[in-house]
Amino acid sequence: HKAVFERGVRESDKQGMGTTLDVLLVAGGDAFVAHVGDSRTYLIRDGKAAQITTDHTVAEVLMIEGKLTAEEAAASHLRTILVNAIGVAEDVGVEMAHLRLKTGDRLLLCSDGLHDYFPVEQELADLILDSEEQEDALVGLIELAKERGGHDNITGVLIEVVAAPESEATEEEEAPTYAGSAVPTPIGDEGTMPVAALSSQEERKLATATTAEHEAVNPSDDGESGDGESDDGKSAPEAKAESTPKRSVLKTTVPIRPLNMPLRDTDDD
């Protein structure tokens, strides 16, 4: 992060450059994820898929605060405005996740050029598990993303847990966050807050200011409606797959969801 930021400061033609980053470390039966931006890490377990990272975007923040529904956030152009990225500002927030692995688990790390075309997480699980070879599964996902639009660079890494060490965790620790969810209960009672936490009042002010700033820069209607459909009658996933807005970074400090808050139930997607 420091190297990217300092080069952007030194070289005027690279000022403001940045990137997203997901890093995965597997140590024995544990997996540790470090995440910045809107690339994603998914866990595929027991036939289900779940996103285990949070998109560091304005749309995600507004959805967490209840100002946008999941459908509205998926179709909103605010999903392309990052609030956290590598190299853009002097400080960066790093979201951390810790998973205990099980034999048969798959972990998919990918850029938005891939996950933008798979708004239903279960489709990722089905396509990956239907392939005998993991390499074929990843190639298939990339080719399908290209067929569906391929508006951005596509990066994907797929990892299969062939044999995980036996865990000494109790049954309570092994239980999923929700019945039927692929995401296990967060380990321990630690909460990870990538950036300095703000009060609820400050969060509301920041979210309101962020929305107002975006509308001032982009006064035209972005095609959203309260029922998750665009003005041309298309559903949020269809509108999302067809839209190709340029991504930008909002240089501000927005608190990212603590790790110990429940992740989304895949059955609700």
Side-chain angles (χ1 to χ4, degrees), residues 154-184:
I154 302 174
T155 301
V157 177
L158 181 60
I159 297 161
E160 180 182 7
V161 180
V162 178
E166 292 187 9
S167 173
E168 297 180 359
T170 64
E171 289 186 6
E172 181 178 351
E173 290 175 323
E174 289 284 352
T177 304
Y178 299 97
S181 173
V183 183

PDB file of all heavy atoms in Angstrom, residues 154-184:
ATOM      1  N   ILE A 154     -10.600  -9.415 -15.454  1.00  0.00           N
ATOM      2  CA  ILE A 154     -11.118 -10.567 -14.711  1.00  0.00           C
ATOM      3  C   ILE A 154      -9.964 -11.331 -14.074  1.00  0.00           C
ATOM      4  O   ILE A 154      -9.063 -11.799 -14.771  1.00  0.00           O
ATOM      5  CB  ILE A 154     -11.920 -11.512 -15.632  1.00  0.00           C
ATOM      6  CG1 ILE A 154     -13.083 -10.759 -16.289  1.00  0.00           C
ATOM      7  CG2 ILE A 154     -12.435 -12.711 -14.852  1.00  0.00           C
ATOM      8  CD1 ILE A 154     -13.832 -11.574 -17.318  1.00  0.00           C
ATOM      9  N   THR A 155      -9.998 -11.428 -12.766  1.00  0.00           N
ATOM     10  CA  THR A 155      -8.985 -12.181 -12.031  1.00  0.00           C
ATOM     11  C   THR A 155      -9.690 -13.156 -11.095  1.00  0.00           C
ATOM     12  O   THR A 155     -10.643 -12.778 -10.412  1.00  0.00           O
ATOM     13  CB  THR A 155      -8.083 -11.254 -11.199  1.00  0.00           C
ATOM     14  OG1 THR A 155      -7.441 -10.319 -12.054  1.00  0.00           O
ATOM     15  CG2 THR A 155      -7.019 -12.061 -10.454  1.00  0.00           C
ATOM     16  N   GLY A 156      -9.229 -14.407 -11.069  1.00  0.00           N
ATOM     17  CA  GLY A 156      -9.829 -15.392 -10.180  1.00  0.00           C
ATOM     18  C   GLY A 156      -8.810 -16.401  -9.698  1.00  0.00           C
ATOM     19  O   GLY A 156      -7.914 -16.797 -10.455  1.00  0.00           O
ATOM     20  N   VAL A 157      -8.927 -16.790  -8.444  1.00  0.00           N
ATOM     21  CA  VAL A 157      -8.096 -17.847  -7.859  1.00  0.00           C
ATOM     22  C   VAL A 157      -9.036 -18.792  -7.130  1.00  0.00           C
ATOM     23  O   VAL A 157      -9.830 -18.355  -6.293  1.00  0.00           O
ATOM     24  CB  VAL A 157      -7.057 -17.277  -6.871  1.00  0.00           C
ATOM     25  CG1 VAL A 157      -6.256 -18.413  -6.234  1.00  0.00           C
ATOM     26  CG2 VAL A 157      -6.126 -16.289  -7.554  1.00  0.00           C
ATOM     27  N   LEU A 158      -8.964 -20.077  -7.452  1.00  0.00           N
ATOM     28  CA  LEU A 158      -9.843 -21.072  -6.835  1.00  0.00           C
ATOM     29  C   LEU A 158      -9.004 -22.108  -6.096  1.00  0.00           C
ATOM     30  O   LEU A 158      -8.086 -22.686  -6.670  1.00  0.00           O
ATOM     31  CB  LEU A 158     -10.709 -21.752  -7.901  1.00  0.00           C
ATOM     32  CG  LEU A 158     -11.704 -22.804  -7.413  1.00  0.00           C
ATOM     33  CD1 LEU A 158     -12.699 -22.197  -6.430  1.00  0.00           C
ATOM     34  CD2 LEU A 158     -12.430 -23.427  -8.597  1.00  0.00           C
ATOM     35  N   ILE A 159      -9.316 -22.324  -4.843  1.00  0.00           N
ATOM     36  CA  ILE A 159      -8.551 -23.233  -3.987  1.00  0.00           C
ATOM     37  C   ILE A 159      -9.475 -24.307  -3.439  1.00  0.00           C
ATOM     38  O   ILE A 159     -10.574 -24.009  -2.952  1.00  0.00           O
ATOM     39  CB  ILE A 159      -7.897 -22.466  -2.827  1.00  0.00           C
ATOM     40  CG1 ILE A 159      -6.895 -21.442  -3.381  1.00  0.00           C
ATOM     41  CG2 ILE A 159      -7.214 -23.414  -1.851  1.00  0.00           C
ATOM     42  CD1 ILE A 159      -6.547 -20.365  -2.406  1.00  0.00           C
ATOM     43  N   GLU A 160      -9.037 -25.561  -3.525  1.00  0.00           N
ATOM     44  CA  GLU A 160      -9.806 -26.675  -2.972  1.00  0.00           C
ATOM     45  C   GLU A 160      -9.070 -27.259  -1.780  1.00  0.00           C
ATOM     46  O   GLU A 160      -7.855 -27.496  -1.826  1.00  0.00           O
ATOM     47  CB  GLU A 160     -10.011 -27.766  -4.020  1.00  0.00           C
ATOM     48  CG  GLU A 160     -10.797 -28.957  -3.506  1.00  0.00           C
ATOM     49  CD  GLU A 160     -10.952 -30.063  -4.535  1.00  0.00           C
ATOM     50  OE1 GLU A 160     -10.335 -29.963  -5.616  1.00  0.00           O
ATOM     51  OE2 GLU A 160     -11.686 -31.026  -4.264  1.00  0.00           O
ATOM     52  N   VAL A 161      -9.797 -27.486  -0.697  1.00  0.00           N
ATOM     53  CA  VAL A 161      -9.219 -28.115   0.493  1.00  0.00           C
ATOM     54  C   VAL A 161      -9.368 -29.625   0.325  1.00  0.00           C
ATOM     55  O   VAL A 161     -10.450 -30.175   0.478  1.00  0.00           O
ATOM     56  CB  VAL A 161      -9.919 -27.634   1.775  1.00  0.00           C
ATOM     57  CG1 VAL A 161      -9.303 -28.307   2.998  1.00  0.00           C
ATOM     58  CG2 VAL A 161      -9.832 -26.122   1.890  1.00  0.00           C
ATOM     59  N   VAL A 162      -8.277 -30.270  -0.023  1.00  0.00           N
ATOM     60  CA  VAL A 162      -8.309 -31.709  -0.281  1.00  0.00           C
ATOM     61  C   VAL A 162      -8.421 -32.493   1.024  1.00  0.00           C
ATOM     62  O   VAL A 162      -9.165 -33.469   1.119  1.00  0.00           O
ATOM     63  CB  VAL A 162      -7.057 -32.140  -1.064  1.00  0.00           C
ATOM     64  CG1 VAL A 162      -7.055 -33.650  -1.286  1.00  0.00           C
ATOM     65  CG2 VAL A 162      -6.986 -31.403  -2.405  1.00  0.00           C
ATOM     66  N   ALA A 163      -7.667 -32.065   2.044  1.00  0.00           N
ATOM     67  CA  ALA A 163      -7.722 -32.743   3.346  1.00  0.00           C
ATOM     68  C   ALA A 163      -7.374 -31.732   4.418  1.00  0.00           C
ATOM     69  O   ALA A 163      -6.251 -31.242   4.472  1.00  0.00           O
ATOM     70  CB  ALA A 163      -6.755 -33.923   3.384  1.00  0.00           C
ATOM     71  N   ALA A 164      -8.339 -31.412   5.258  1.00  0.00           N
ATOM     72  CA  ALA A 164      -8.111 -30.464   6.343  1.00  0.00           C
ATOM     73  C   ALA A 164      -7.794 -31.229   7.622  1.00  0.00           C
ATOM     74  O   ALA A 164      -8.370 -32.286   7.875  1.00  0.00           O
ATOM     75  CB  ALA A 164      -9.346 -29.599   6.553  1.00  0.00           C
ATOM     76  N   PRO A 165      -6.849 -30.723   8.427  1.00  0.00           N
ATOM     77  CA  PRO A 165      -6.552 -31.380   9.708  1.00  0.00           C
ATOM     78  C   PRO A 165      -7.797 -31.431  10.578  1.00  0.00           C
ATOM     79  O   PRO A 165      -8.664 -30.556  10.494  1.00  0.00           O
ATOM     80  CB  PRO A 165      -5.484 -30.462  10.329  1.00  0.00           C
ATOM     81  CG  PRO A 165      -4.906 -29.708   9.174  1.00  0.00           C
ATOM     82  CD  PRO A 165      -6.026 -29.539   8.198  1.00  0.00           C
ATOM     83  N   GLU A 166      -7.896 -32.466  11.395  1.00  0.00           N
ATOM     84  CA  GLU A 166      -9.046 -32.576  12.281  1.00  0.00           C
ATOM     85  C   GLU A 166      -9.051 -31.408  13.250  1.00  0.00           C
ATOM     86  O   GLU A 166      -8.035 -31.084  13.855  1.00  0.00           O
ATOM     87  CB  GLU A 166      -9.002 -33.901  13.052  1.00  0.00           C
ATOM     88  CG  GLU A 166      -9.222 -35.121  12.179  1.00  0.00           C
ATOM     89  CD  GLU A 166      -9.329 -36.385  12.997  1.00  0.00           C
ATOM     90  OE1 GLU A 166      -9.396 -36.269  14.245  1.00  0.00           O
ATOM     91  OE2 GLU A 166      -9.346 -37.480  12.413  1.00  0.00           O
ATOM     92  N   SER A 167     -10.210 -30.781  13.394  1.00  0.00           N
ATOM     93  CA  SER A 167     -10.325 -29.614  14.264  1.00  0.00           C
ATOM     94  C   SER A 167     -10.639 -30.044  15.685  1.00  0.00           C
ATOM     95  O   SER A 167     -11.366 -31.014  15.912  1.00  0.00           O
ATOM     96  CB  SER A 167     -11.413 -28.680  13.735  1.00  0.00           C
ATOM     97  OG  SER A 167     -11.650 -27.642  14.651  1.00  0.00           O
ATOM     98  N   GLU A 168     -10.094 -29.281  16.630  1.00  0.00           N
ATOM     99  CA  GLU A 168     -10.394 -29.535  18.034  1.00  0.00           C
ATOM    100  C   GLU A 168     -11.523 -28.637  18.512  1.00  0.00           C
ATOM    101  O   GLU A 168     -11.822 -28.562  19.697  1.00  0.00           O
ATOM    102  CB  GLU A 168      -9.152 -29.288  18.881  1.00  0.00           C
ATOM    103  CG  GLU A 168      -8.004 -30.232  18.539  1.00  0.00           C
ATOM    104  CD  GLU A 168      -6.783 -29.955  19.388  1.00  0.00           C
ATOM    105  OE1 GLU A 168      -6.861 -29.017  20.220  1.00  0.00           O
ATOM    106  OE2 GLU A 168      -5.778 -30.661  19.249  1.00  0.00           O
ATOM    107  N   ALA A 169     -12.176 -27.948  17.570  1.00  0.00           N
ATOM    108  CA  ALA A 169     -13.257 -27.028  17.929  1.00  0.00           C
ATOM    109  C   ALA A 169     -14.456 -27.792  18.474  1.00  0.00           C
ATOM    110  O   ALA A 169     -14.693 -28.946  18.133  1.00  0.00           O
ATOM    111  CB  ALA A 169     -13.681 -26.218  16.707  1.00  0.00           C
ATOM    112  N   THR A 170     -15.201 -27.152  19.337  1.00  0.00           N
ATOM    113  CA  THR A 170     -16.410 -27.761  19.872  1.00  0.00           C
ATOM    114  C   THR A 170     -17.515 -27.685  18.837  1.00  0.00           C
ATOM    115  O   THR A 170     -17.409 -26.976  17.844  1.00  0.00           O
ATOM    116  CB  THR A 170     -16.860 -27.004  21.138  1.00  0.00           C
ATOM    117  OG1 THR A 170     -17.213 -25.666  20.763  1.00  0.00           O
ATOM    118  CG2 THR A 170     -15.747 -26.963  22.164  1.00  0.00           C
ATOM    119  N   GLU A 171     -18.608 -28.421  19.084  1.00  0.00           N
ATOM    120  CA  GLU A 171     -19.733 -28.391  18.152  1.00  0.00           C
ATOM    121  C   GLU A 171     -20.309 -26.985  18.045  1.00  0.00           C
ATOM    122  O   GLU A 171     -20.746 -26.544  16.995  1.00  0.00           O
ATOM    123  CB  GLU A 171     -20.826 -29.367  18.614  1.00  0.00           C
ATOM    124  CG  GLU A 171     -20.442 -30.826  18.449  1.00  0.00           C
ATOM    125  CD  GLU A 171     -21.605 -31.729  18.786  1.00  0.00           C
ATOM    126  OE1 GLU A 171     -22.722 -31.191  19.023  1.00  0.00           O
ATOM    127  OE2 GLU A 171     -21.413 -32.946  18.813  1.00  0.00           O
ATOM    128  N   GLU A 172     -20.284 -26.241  19.158  1.00  0.00           N
ATOM    129  CA  GLU A 172     -20.816 -24.879  19.144  1.00  0.00           C
ATOM    130  C   GLU A 172     -19.997 -23.990  18.223  1.00  0.00           C
ATOM    131  O   GLU A 172     -20.530 -23.168  17.483  1.00  0.00           O
ATOM    132  CB  GLU A 172     -20.809 -24.322  20.567  1.00  0.00           C
ATOM    133  CG  GLU A 172     -21.380 -22.905  20.654  1.00  0.00           C
ATOM    134  CD  GLU A 172     -21.404 -22.390  22.072  1.00  0.00           C
ATOM    135  OE1 GLU A 172     -21.139 -23.199  22.989  1.00  0.00           O
ATOM    136  OE2 GLU A 172     -21.688 -21.203  22.266  1.00  0.00           O
ATOM    137  N   GLU A 173     -18.653 -24.161  18.221  1.00  0.00           N
ATOM    138  CA  GLU A 173     -17.793 -23.365  17.364  1.00  0.00           C
ATOM    139  C   GLU A 173     -17.963 -23.740  15.909  1.00  0.00           C
ATOM    140  O   GLU A 173     -17.793 -22.921  15.018  1.00  0.00           O
ATOM    141  CB  GLU A 173     -16.331 -23.527  17.780  1.00  0.00           C
ATOM    142  CG  GLU A 173     -16.010 -22.863  19.115  1.00  0.00           C
ATOM    143  CD  GLU A 173     -14.585 -23.153  19.544  1.00  0.00           C
ATOM    144  OE1 GLU A 173     -14.131 -24.288  19.290  1.00  0.00           O
ATOM    145  OE2 GLU A 173     -13.942 -22.269  20.113  1.00  0.00           O
ATOM    146  N   GLU A 174     -18.295 -25.022  15.645  1.00  0.00           N
ATOM    147  CA  GLU A 174     -18.427 -25.502  14.280  1.00  0.00           C
ATOM    148  C   GLU A 174     -19.761 -25.091  13.649  1.00  0.00           C
ATOM    149  O   GLU A 174     -19.912 -25.117  12.445  1.00  0.00           O
ATOM    150  CB  GLU A 174     -18.324 -27.032  14.245  1.00  0.00           C
ATOM    151  CG  GLU A 174     -16.926 -27.565  14.522  1.00  0.00           C
ATOM    152  CD  GLU A 174     -16.017 -27.392  13.333  1.00  0.00           C
ATOM    153  OE1 GLU A 174     -16.507 -26.996  12.260  1.00  0.00           O
ATOM    154  OE2 GLU A 174     -14.826 -27.660  13.466  1.00  0.00           O
ATOM    155  N   ALA A 175     -20.739 -24.716  14.484  1.00  0.00           N
ATOM    156  CA  ALA A 175     -22.083 -24.424  13.970  1.00  0.00           C
ATOM    157  C   ALA A 175     -22.053 -23.211  13.052  1.00  0.00           C
ATOM    158  O   ALA A 175     -21.318 -22.266  13.291  1.00  0.00           O
ATOM    159  CB  ALA A 175     -23.044 -24.172  15.129  1.00  0.00           C
ATOM    160  N   PRO A 176     -22.859 -23.238  11.977  1.00  0.00           N
ATOM    161  CA  PRO A 176     -22.906 -22.088  11.083  1.00  0.00           C
ATOM    162  C   PRO A 176     -23.625 -20.910  11.723  1.00  0.00           C
ATOM    163  O   PRO A 176     -24.370 -21.072  12.692  1.00  0.00           O
ATOM    164  CB  PRO A 176     -23.698 -22.618   9.879  1.00  0.00           C
ATOM    165  CG  PRO A 176     -24.545 -23.702  10.439  1.00  0.00           C
ATOM    166  CD  PRO A 176     -23.728 -24.321  11.541  1.00  0.00           C
ATOM    167  N   THR A 177     -23.379 -19.710  11.173  1.00  0.00           N
ATOM    168  CA  THR A 177     -24.033 -18.520  11.681  1.00  0.00           C
ATOM    169  C   THR A 177     -25.545 -18.622  11.525  1.00  0.00           C
ATOM    170  O   THR A 177     -26.303 -18.232  12.390  1.00  0.00           O
ATOM    171  CB  THR A 177     -23.522 -17.278  10.917  1.00  0.00           C
ATOM    172  OG1 THR A 177     -22.094 -17.233  11.026  1.00  0.00           O
ATOM    173  CG2 THR A 177     -24.107 -16.004  11.493  1.00  0.00           C
ATOM    174  N   TYR A 178     -25.996 -19.149  10.366  1.00  0.00           N
ATOM    175  CA  TYR A 178     -27.411 -19.365  10.120  1.00  0.00           C
ATOM    176  C   TYR A 178     -27.610 -20.813   9.681  1.00  0.00           C
ATOM    177  O   TYR A 178     -26.725 -21.398   9.075  1.00  0.00           O
ATOM    178  CB  TYR A 178     -27.930 -18.461   8.996  1.00  0.00           C
ATOM    179  CG  TYR A 178     -27.809 -16.999   9.268  1.00  0.00           C
ATOM    180  CD1 TYR A 178     -26.726 -16.278   8.773  1.00  0.00           C
ATOM    181  CD2 TYR A 178     -28.767 -16.323  10.001  1.00  0.00           C
ATOM    182  CE1 TYR A 178     -26.608 -14.922   9.000  1.00  0.00           C
ATOM    183  CE2 TYR A 178     -28.656 -14.962  10.224  1.00  0.00           C
ATOM    184  CZ  TYR A 178     -27.579 -14.266   9.733  1.00  0.00           C
ATOM    185  OH  TYR A 178     -27.470 -12.932   9.956  1.00  0.00           O
ATOM    186  N   ALA A 179     -28.765 -21.340   9.940  1.00  0.00           N
ATOM    187  CA  ALA A 179     -29.060 -22.695   9.488  1.00  0.00           C
ATOM    188  C   ALA A 179     -28.972 -22.748   7.971  1.00  0.00           C
ATOM    189  O   ALA A 179     -29.617 -21.981   7.276  1.00  0.00           O
ATOM    190  CB  ALA A 179     -30.448 -23.104   9.951  1.00  0.00           C
ATOM    191  N   GLY A 180     -28.143 -23.639   7.469  1.00  0.00           N
ATOM    192  CA  GLY A 180     -28.021 -23.784   6.023  1.00  0.00           C
ATOM    193  C   GLY A 180     -26.987 -22.872   5.406  1.00  0.00           C
ATOM    194  O   GLY A 180     -26.742 -22.933   4.214  1.00  0.00           O
ATOM    195  N   SER A 181     -26.365 -22.002   6.197  1.00  0.00           N
ATOM    196  CA  SER A 181     -25.381 -21.074   5.639  1.00  0.00           C
ATOM    197  C   SER A 181     -24.050 -21.765   5.468  1.00  0.00           C
ATOM    198  O   SER A 181     -23.692 -22.683   6.187  1.00  0.00           O
ATOM    199  CB  SER A 181     -25.209 -19.870   6.562  1.00  0.00           C
ATOM    200  OG  SER A 181     -24.148 -19.059   6.117  1.00  0.00           O
ATOM    201  N   ALA A 182     -23.276 -21.308   4.473  1.00  0.00           N
ATOM    202  CA  ALA A 182     -21.938 -21.859   4.259  1.00  0.00           C
ATOM    203  C   ALA A 182     -20.917 -21.200   5.160  1.00  0.00           C
ATOM    204  O   ALA A 182     -19.787 -21.633   5.240  1.00  0.00           O
ATOM    205  CB  ALA A 182     -21.526 -21.662   2.795  1.00  0.00           C
ATOM    206  N   VAL A 183     -21.290 -20.114   5.843  1.00  0.00           N
ATOM    207  CA  VAL A 183     -20.325 -19.350   6.619  1.00  0.00           C
ATOM    208  C   VAL A 183     -20.314 -19.796   8.070  1.00  0.00           C
ATOM    209  O   VAL A 183     -21.341 -19.769   8.740  1.00  0.00           O
ATOM    210  CB  VAL A 183     -20.655 -17.841   6.549  1.00  0.00           C
ATOM    211  CG1 VAL A 183     -19.607 -17.039   7.291  1.00  0.00           C
ATOM    212  CG2 VAL A 183     -20.740 -17.397   5.106  1.00  0.00           C
ATOM    213  N   PRO A 184     -19.163 -20.223   8.597  1.00  0.00           N
ATOM    214  CA  PRO A 184     -19.103 -20.649   9.992  1.00  0.00           C
ATOM    215  C   PRO A 184     -19.141 -19.454  10.927  1.00  0.00           C
ATOM    216  O   PRO A 184     -18.898 -18.325  10.531  1.00  0.00           O
ATOM    217  CB  PRO A 184     -17.754 -21.372  10.080  1.00  0.00           C
ATOM    218  CG  PRO A 184     -16.927 -20.719   9.025  1.00  0.00           C
ATOM    219  CD  PRO A 184     -17.865 -20.367   7.914  1.00  0.00           C
TER     220      PRO A 184
END
